[in-house]
Amino acid sequence: MLQALFYKEWIKTRWFLAIAFLISIGISIYSMMIFKHAMDMKGIAHIWVMMLTRKVTLVHLITYVPIAIGLCLGVVQFVPEMYKKSIKLSLHLPFDINRSIAIMLLWGAVCLAICFQANFLIVWNVLHPHLPSELLAQSLSTIYPSYIAGFFIYFMTATIVLEPTWKWRLGYIIISALGLHLFLLSQTPFAYNKFTWGLMLITIIITTFSWRSIYRFKVGCQD
Amino acid sequence: MKKVSQISLIGMIALLLIWQLPWIYQFIFAHPQQSAMRFMLFSPITYEFTYPDRGANDKLVGKDLAGHIYSANQLDSVLPLFYNRQLADRNAFPDSIMGKPINLKEIQEGRFMFRNFPEDTNGPIAPLYMLLESAPKRLDFELPKDMFRCTTNGLEFITMQNNQIDLAKSTLFTQALKDVGCSFPIIHLHNIPNLRKRYDNGFLLVDRQHQLFHMQMTHNKPVCHRIDLPKDVLANQVFVTEFDSRKHYGFFTDTTNKMYVIDAPSYQIHPLDIPEFNPSTQEIMIIGNPYMWTIRIEDDRGTTFYGLDGSDYHQYRKKEYIYHNKPFMGLHFTSSNDGYVYPHWN
Amino acid sequence: MTAIIKCTNLTHKYGKRVIYENLSFEVPQGRILGLLGKNGTGKTTTINILSGFLKPQSGECSIFGHDLHSMPAALRANIGLLIEGHIQYQFMTIEQIEKFYSQCYPNQWKRDAYYDLMSKLKVAPKQRISRMSCGQRSQVALGLILAQDPELLVLDDFSLGLDPGYRRLFVDYLRDYAKSENKTVFLTSHIIQDMERLIDDCIIMDYGSILLQQPVNKLLDQIRSYQIDTNCSHAVQALSLDKDFFHPSYLSGKIEWYSFLSQEAIVSRLQSLEIPYTNIQTTRVNLEDAFIGLTGKY
C-alpha cells in the first residue's frame, strides 16, 4: 500500500520537487555567496560587528522561500486530486482513508523537510567555521519560524484544496492568512525563541484539518 | 480522526478570534490617551515643569504647570540650559543659575540625554560583547580583534579572524575580575559598542551575588574595579553612559528598583530621588545638565515627570499623569516590553 | 439469488428539493442493472451514495452485506468504480497508471487484460492520460476495471462523451466480461440504445420515486405503444386520469399513449370511458421508446 501511494505522489510531484530543491539550495548558496563576498571585501570582523550591533542575520533572503515552497507543493500535490473530483479514485482505493490521507500529507512533509534541511545544512556548513555559536544562532533563529511556516502553509493549502465548498475554503484562507501572520510577526533574531513550541503545536494541530475536508467531501457537502 | 479535526478547528478559530477580535475592536474604537504629556522640562529658574506649545497664530509659546504662559523669548529664559544657543545668539545668556556662575562650555559639555526602553533590557540579543581598547593610540576607536562571551566560569574571548578561543586573554581578564572579588557567572552587563564615540567607559557588570564591577581594557590589559555598594543594596540592571561631561560611569538599579548614578572617576554612587524605576517594564528618559535633571518614566499606568537637582539628585517636584483609557484586554503575541513573540494576556 | 447491492428507504434532499423518498431496490448477483431516468431524477445521487461519496439523509445502503460507510477498506477491492467522464489520474501515463493500480490490487490484478485493451488504442505507452481523447480515456478506464477484476462494477454514465464506435466497443467488452465472469454491474447512461444492448434489468426513475424495476426483456414484452384516430380531443384528459395509460397525447386527430395492458383490455377501457375512435394501432417498442413513453417527453 505504501509503495503504491508513494509512487502516485512521486509521479505528481517529482518535477516540482526537483525545482523546489534547486531553488532551496540555490537561495542558500546565493545568500552564502553574498556572505563570502562581504567577508572578502570587509573582513569577518566587520561581519561580526554588523551582526552584533545591527542584528544582521545574513539569511534574510531565505525567509519567504520555505513558505513559497510549502504553498506551491500543496497546490501541485492536491490540485490534480481535485481536478474533476479525481480524489474519488484515491478514496475508493482499498486502503483505510485515514491512512491514505496521512501518507499523502507525510509525503509532502518529508519532501519539505528534505528541501529545508538542504537549505539549512548549506547555511550551517558555510557559517559555522566563521561565526561563534551566538551569532550562528542569531542567523538560524530567523529561519526556523520560516521552515515551520512552510509546513503550516503546506497543510493549510492541502486543506483548502481538498475542501469541497467555497464557503469553507474562504474560511480556511482567512485562517491561513492569520496563522501565517503569526509566523511573521517579527524578523528580529531570537524573537521566536519563547514560542517555537507554539508554532510547532499550531502546525501539528492544523494537519488534522485535511481530514475534515475529506470527510466533508465523502458525505457530499457542496456549495 | 473526524472528532479530532473538529476539535482542532474549533480550537484554532477560538485562538484566532481571541487574538484578533480585541485588536479589531481597539483599532476601530480606540482614541488617544488624553492625559499623555510627552515632553516637559523642569526649569531651574521657576522650579516648575515647563513645556513648549503652540499659541495663537500657531506661534511658539511656553507654558508651565502653574498656569503661566511665556513668549518664545521668555521660554528661552525659563529654560536657559535647553535653549542656550538661542540665548547666546541674542547675548541674553544669564551669568548664573541657581546661585552658581555659569560656564557655557561646561553647560554644553554637561548636557546629556539618556533613554532606556524595556525592550532594551528584555529584548533578545546574541550574548556576545565587544570590549574596546579604552586608550587607543590614535584616539579613534578601532575594531577589536575579538569578542567575548560570559560563561559560568568567567569570560571567554573569541578571535574574530579564526573563530577560535583566545585562552590567554580569557584567562587574563577572568582572573582580573576574580581578583577584585567577582563571582561568576555574570548575570548582567552593559556597554556602548559604538566606534564613533569620544571615549570609552568599558563595561559595568553584575555578578551572581549582585555585586557591581567596572571593566575596561587599556593597552590590552584589563582594568577592573569593584564598586562598593551600600549595605543591603544588590545591583540588578546596569547602564553605561558616556556623556561629554565624563562625570559618570553610568546608572544602575538594584533588586528593589531603586536607581543610582555612579560618579567617575571616584565610583561614588548616589541614589536618584525617585520612588522606583523598573527597567523591565518602564521607559525612562533623563534630560540632564549640571543644574537640573528632568526624568520621565512611562509605563502602562501613565507617565511621571521628576525634577531633580543636578548635583545631589534630590527631588524638587514631580508630576504624574495617569492614563484613563486602559489597554484593551486580549491575547497578544508581541509586546513593546521585549522583542519576543509569545502568547500573553494583556 | 443473493443481493449484492441492497438499498432500503433511501431519502435524500438537496436543500428543500426532494430527490427521492423511501427508495428501495436490490441488485442481484450476476445481473447487469441499468438505472434510467431523466435529468434530475437522482441517478448520479444514487451512484454517489453507492460509491460512498454521499450520505443519504435517511435509509440504509449495503454492498456485499456491509454498510457503505463502515465497509472494511479491503472490500473496496471488489468494487470497480467508473467515475462520470471516465476520470482517471491525469498526470499518469498508461504505463504508470497500470503500475500504480497493480500495486493497489496485488492479489487480483490481471495485467494482460489491461494491455490487451491498450493495444487497440493508438497511443504510446508513455502518453499522459490528460492528452488523450475522451474515447481513449474510456478505454483506459475500462482496461483498469477489467484488470482489477472486481465482483461488482459501478459505472456512472459510462457512455458520456464517447462516439458510437467507442460506445459499441465498451458495451461489447463489458457485456462479454460480465457474463463470462458472472459479475454484477450497476450502471447509468443517457444513451438508452447502449443500455438495451447491455443490461439485464432496469430501474426507471421518475421524480421522487422508482417507476418500475424489472428485467428488460419482460418490460419490452409487456409494454406497447397505442394510437387511435379520434376527433375527441378531450379524451386525453380522461385517459390521463387512468394510471394504466402513460402520458397520452393528442396531435392532428390522433391520440397516442403507452400501456402494459393488452389490446383487448384497452378496447374495453375505451368503451367504458365512452371515447369514440377509429383504427387502433399497437406497436412493440424498444427500450428508449418505452422509457420516453413511461416518463413522458419534456
Side-chain angles (χ1 to χ4, degrees):
Chain A
M1 166 191 163
L2 277 178
Q3 200 179 352
L5 292 174
F6 283 143
Y7 178 70
K8 174 166 71 80
E9 299 309 309
W10 165 247
I11 298 292
K12 262 192 295 184
T13 58
R14 55 190 172 167
W15 296 118
F16 173 75
L17 288 177
I19 294 168
F21 188 78
L22 285 175
I23 289 174
S24 198
I25 61 172
I27 200 79
S28 51
I29 289 172
Y30 180 63
S31 294
M32 294 302 100
M33 281 171 63
I34 294 175
F35 160 72
K36 286 278 194 182
H37 178 76
M39 196 169 72
D40 292 340
M41 289 288 129
K42 301 265 177 93
I44 187 64
H46 172 82
I47 293 178
W48 280 47
V49 171
M50 283 293 110
M51 290 186 76
L52 190 69
T53 57
R54 303 269 180 91
K55 301 199 175 175
V56 167
T57 61
L58 305 174
V59 293
H60 57 281
L61 289 177
I62 294 174
T63 306
Y64 295 104
V65 170
I67 295 169
I69 290 176
L71 174 69
C72 292
L73 180 61
V75 169
V76 164
Q77 193 180 354
F78 292 100
V79 165
E81 296 280 352
M82 293 305 281
Y83 176 74
K84 294 196 177 174
K85 300 187 181 176
S86 301
I87 190 78
K88 289 183 178 180
L89 298 168
S90 300
L91 298 178
H92 184 71
L93 294 172
F95 308 137
D96 178 65
I97 288 171
N98 289 335
R99 288 186 74 192
S100 294
I101 301 300
I103 284 165
M104 288 166 79
L105 294 174
L106 179 67
W107 172 266
V110 166
C111 292
L112 286 180
I114 292 171
C115 285
F116 298 164
Q117 183 76 349
N119 180 285
F120 172 83
L121 282 174
I122 288 171
V123 170
W124 191 84
N125 272 316
V126 171
L127 291 183
H128 101 268
H130 301 289
L131 298 179
S133 56
E134 293 84 354
L135 296 181
L136 190 60
Q138 177 167 304
S139 282
L140 298 177
S141 70
T142 57
I143 52 176
Y144 283 134
S146 295
Y147 292 149
I148 304 173
F151 286 104
F152 173 87
I153 204 67
Y154 164 71
F155 291 126
M156 284 308 302
T157 305
T159 302
I160 291 165
V161 173
L162 291 172
E163 169 57 39
T165 65
W166 274 106
K167 186 173 71 178
W168 269 103
R169 274 191 190 141
L170 198 59
Y172 286 133
I173 288 171
I174 292 170
I175 291 173
S176 301
L178 288 175
L180 195 61
H181 180 51
L182 202 53
F183 289 80
L184 299 173
L185 281 173
S186 176
Q187 299 293 306
T188 307
F190 308 111
Y192 282 92
N193 275 16
K194 290 185 180 181
F195 193 51
T196 309
W197 62 268
L199 299 181
M200 291 170 70
L201 184 64
I202 288 170
T203 305
I204 291 168
I205 285 172
I206 60 106
T207 58
T208 61
F209 292 178
S210 298
W211 274 272
R212 183 173 180 273
S213 294
I214 288 295
Y215 289 134
R216 285 171 49 75
F217 181 88
K218 282 257 325 160
V219 299
C221 292
Q222 56 184 16
D223 286 308
Chain B
M1 203 63 199
K2 184 177 166 189
K3 269 203 183 113
V4 171
S5 64
Q6 292 277 61
I7 293 167
S8 301
L9 181 64
I10 291 167
M12 186 71 181
I13 291 174
L15 174 74
L16 293 176
L17 285 176
I18 294 170
W19 176 34
Q20 288 295 306
L21 283 181
W23 184 88
I24 292 169
Y25 180 90
Q26 195 168 17
F27 184 78
I28 296 171
F29 296 109
H31 35 270
Q33 297 287 1
Q34 288 160 351
S35 57
M37 175 62 75
R38 293 299 301 166
F39 180 72
M40 292 199 300
L41 292 171
F42 195 72
S43 167
I45 309 297
T46 62
Y47 293 90
E48 279 290 352
F49 285 107
T50 311
Y51 55 95
D53 202 355
R54 290 285 158 185
N57 301 323
D58 208 32
K59 274 189 174 174
L60 174 67
V61 297
K63 294 180 181 174
D64 68 18
L65 294 187
H68 301 114
I69 299 177
Y70 305 102
S71 65
N73 283 351
Q74 289 170 331
L75 178 65
D76 296 344
S77 299
V78 167
L79 295 172
L81 298 158
F82 191 75
Y83 293 107
N84 65 86
R85 288 190 308 113
Q86 288 79 353
L87 287 172
D89 187 58
R90 314 200 282 276
N91 224 9
F93 204 81
D95 295 325
S96 64
I97 290 177
M98 295 170 69
K100 298 173 197 168
I102 287 186
N103 179 327
L104 200 59
K105 186 170 180 289
E106 198 181 293
I107 299 295
Q108 284 169 347
E109 279 185 359
R111 297 188 318 159
F112 69 88
M113 188 170 83
F114 170 76
R115 286 191 90 167
N116 193 73
F117 298 90
E119 194 171 338
D120 298 332
T121 302
N122 304 324
I125 55 159
L128 214 57
Y129 308 94
M130 212 161 50
L131 181 61
L132 301 179
E133 168 57 58
S134 293
K137 284 182 191 150
R138 292 189 55 76
L139 300 181
D140 294 331
F141 291 102
E142 288 175 353
L143 205 59
K145 292 188 171 36
D146 49 41
M147 290 191 186
F148 73 89
R149 59 166 72 103
C150 297
T151 68
T152 47
N153 301 318
L155 305 184
E156 203 171 75
F157 283 82
I158 311 144
T159 308
M160 291 196 266
Q161 194 55 44
N162 56 15
N163 195 21
Q164 299 296 318
I165 294 171
D166 186 339
L167 278 170
K169 189 167 180 178
S170 306
T171 309
L172 181 65
F173 276 79
T174 301
Q175 192 56 48
L177 279 169
K178 281 183 177 171
D179 287 344
V180 293
C182 183
S183 304
F184 290 101
I186 303 294
I187 60 169
H188 187 70
L189 68 167
H190 185 257
N191 81 324
I192 299 176
N194 184 349
L195 296 178
R196 291 201 193 91
K197 54 192 180 180
R198 289 175 68 180
Y199 69 99
D200 174 63
N201 261 346
F203 276 84
L204 287 171
L205 309 101
V206 179
D207 73 357
R208 67 178 166 89
Q209 290 179 346
H210 295 276
Q211 295 304 301
L212 189 55
F213 298 88
H214 181 224
M215 178 178 77
Q216 285 177 289
M217 181 170 72
T218 308
H219 306 303
N220 281 321
K221 296 281 187 292
V223 177
C224 302
H225 282 100
R226 180 195 174 110
I227 301 172
D228 292 324
L229 299 176
K231 193 165 173 283
D232 299 331
V233 171
L234 299 172
N236 196 22
Q237 299 282 341
V238 287
F239 312 94
V240 167
T241 59
E242 285 159 357
F243 305 140
D244 290 346
S245 66
R246 303 188 184 224
K247 283 174 69 178
H248 308 109
Y249 283 121
F251 301 102
F252 76 95
T253 57
D254 66 13
T255 48
T256 63
N257 291 328
K258 198 91 181 76
M259 189 170 183
Y260 302 83
V261 62
I262 307 167
D263 282 350
S266 65
Y267 292 106
Q268 256 197 316
I269 67 167
H270 307 277
L272 300 184
D273 190 6
I274 57 176
E276 94 167 14
F277 164 59
N278 184 345
S280 298
T281 58
Q282 292 174 311
E283 178 191 326
I284 190 169
M285 181 174 75
I286 305 176
I287 296 177
N289 56 67
Y291 299 91
M292 201 63 73
W293 285 18
T294 305
I295 299 180
R296 188 190 87 210
I297 293 178
E298 187 174 355
D299 58 20
D300 292 340
R301 208 178 54 91
T303 304
T304 309
F305 289 86
Y306 302 92
L308 267 56
D309 187 275
S311 313
D312 60 17
Y313 316 111
H314 80 269
Q315 188 190 116
Y316 287 109
R317 292 282 298 275
K318 106 173 184 186
K319 176 66 184 170
E320 205 171 6
Y321 294 92
I322 305 293
Y323 295 146
H324 299 300
N325 303 328
K326 300 292 176 201
F328 206 82
M329 294 280 282
L331 180 68
H332 296 260
F333 285 95
T334 54
S335 169
S336 54
N337 282 355
D338 58 45
Y340 289 102
V341 177
Y342 62 99
H344 53 278
W345 191 259
N346 191 22
Chain C
M1 225 183 292
T2 48
I4 296 291
I5 299 174
K6 190 170 178 182
C7 291
T8 316
N9 293 332
L10 285 182
T11 299
H12 197 70
K13 301 176 189 175
Y14 289 113
K16 289 183 183 167
R17 188 165 81 89
V18 177
I19 304 301
Y20 38 61
E21 273 181 308
N22 297 320
L23 187 77
S24 297
F25 65 90
E26 287 182 10
V27 180
Q29 185 179 4
R31 303 289 283 177
I32 304 175
L33 188 141
L35 192 61
L36 284 75
K38 287 183 183 171
N39 292 340
T41 51
K43 300 190 300 299
T44 303
T45 299
T46 308
I47 291 278
N48 282 336
I49 290 172
L50 285 176
S51 342
F53 297 119
L54 183 62
K55 196 166 182 183
Q57 298 205 322
S58 64
E60 285 162 5
C61 231
S62 65
I63 294 180
F64 300 123
H66 291 267
D67 180 77
L68 281 179
H69 288 277
S70 56
M71 187 189 294
L75 213 56
R76 288 201 288 270
N78 277 327
I79 304 172
L81 181 66
L82 183 78
I83 298 173
E84 186 180 23
H86 308 100
I87 297 299
Q88 275 301 335
Y89 293 117
Q90 299 279 302
F91 48 89
M92 290 194 184
T93 63
I94 289 178
E95 270 183 358
Q96 288 168 344
I97 205 165
E98 189 275 330
K99 185 177 172 186
F100 168 66
Y101 278 112
S102 67
Q103 292 171 346
C104 295
Y105 305 104
N107 300 325
Q108 66 197 78
W109 191 254
K110 289 182 177 165
R111 192 169 184 270
D112 293 338
Y114 175 77
Y115 278 109
D116 237 2
L117 204 55
M118 292 307 104
S119 62
K120 291 183 166 53
L121 286 176
K122 303 279 187 293
V123 290
K126 297 199 187 305
Q127 184 168 343
R128 212 168 275 189
I129 288 169
S130 58
R131 293 188 190 279
M132 292 182 186
S133 68
C134 205
Q136 289 170 329
R137 274 209 312 277
S138 72
Q139 292 309 104
V140 173
L142 179 62
L144 290 170
I145 286 179
L146 298 183
Q148 183 190 339
D149 197 28
E151 290 304 312
L152 169 66
L153 285 73
V154 177
L155 314 176
D156 187 8
D157 207 346
F158 69 89
S159 53
L160 182 71
L162 300 185
D163 64 36
Y166 272 114
R167 289 195 338 249
R168 184 61 64 89
L169 180 67
F170 199 102
V171 164
D172 290 346
Y173 248 90
L174 190 60
R175 183 161 181 89
D176 181 56
Y177 168 72
K179 286 304 164 191
S180 61
E181 306 282 337
N182 194 34
K183 304 295 182 186
T184 309
V185 182
F186 183 88
L187 54 86
T188 69
S189 176
H190 288 288
I191 314 292
I192 298 181
Q193 298 102 307
D194 293 337
M195 298 275 263
E196 193 170 350
R197 284 177 71 86
L198 180 57
I199 62 179
D200 302 322
D201 303 326
C202 67
I203 295 176
I204 296 180
M205 296 184 71
D206 203 351
Y207 293 104
S209 61
I210 287 182
L211 208 54
L212 62 84
Q213 177 176 2
Q214 58 181 240
V216 170
N217 49 15
K218 187 179 170 191
L219 168 66
L220 296 180
D221 273 344
Q222 291 177 346
I223 196 165
R224 296 289 181 270
S225 162
Y226 290 96
Q227 194 176 65
I228 55 174
D229 296 337
T230 180
N231 290 321
C232 183
S233 61
H234 70 271
V236 172
Q237 285 86 348
L239 292 175
S240 302
L241 297 172
D242 191 330
K243 63 177 175 50
D244 290 318
F245 288 74
F246 291 95
H247 299 286
S249 61
Y250 176 84
L251 189 66
S252 306
K254 295 182 195 305
I255 296 179
E256 186 185 48
W257 72 91
Y258 291 78
S259 179
F260 289 100
L261 297 175
S262 64
Q263 185 165 337
E264 294 72 26
I266 292 291
V267 167
S268 173
R269 289 283 176 93
L270 290 174
Q271 282 171 351
S272 67
L273 289 170
E274 294 177 358
I275 294 172
Y277 69 93
T278 56
N279 191 24
I280 181 169
Q281 284 180 0
T282 308
T283 316
R284 288 178 73 98
V285 294
N286 60 22
L287 186 60
E288 182 167 340
D289 289 334
F291 171 76
I292 293 172
L294 291 172
T295 58
K297 295 176 194 170
Y298 289 104

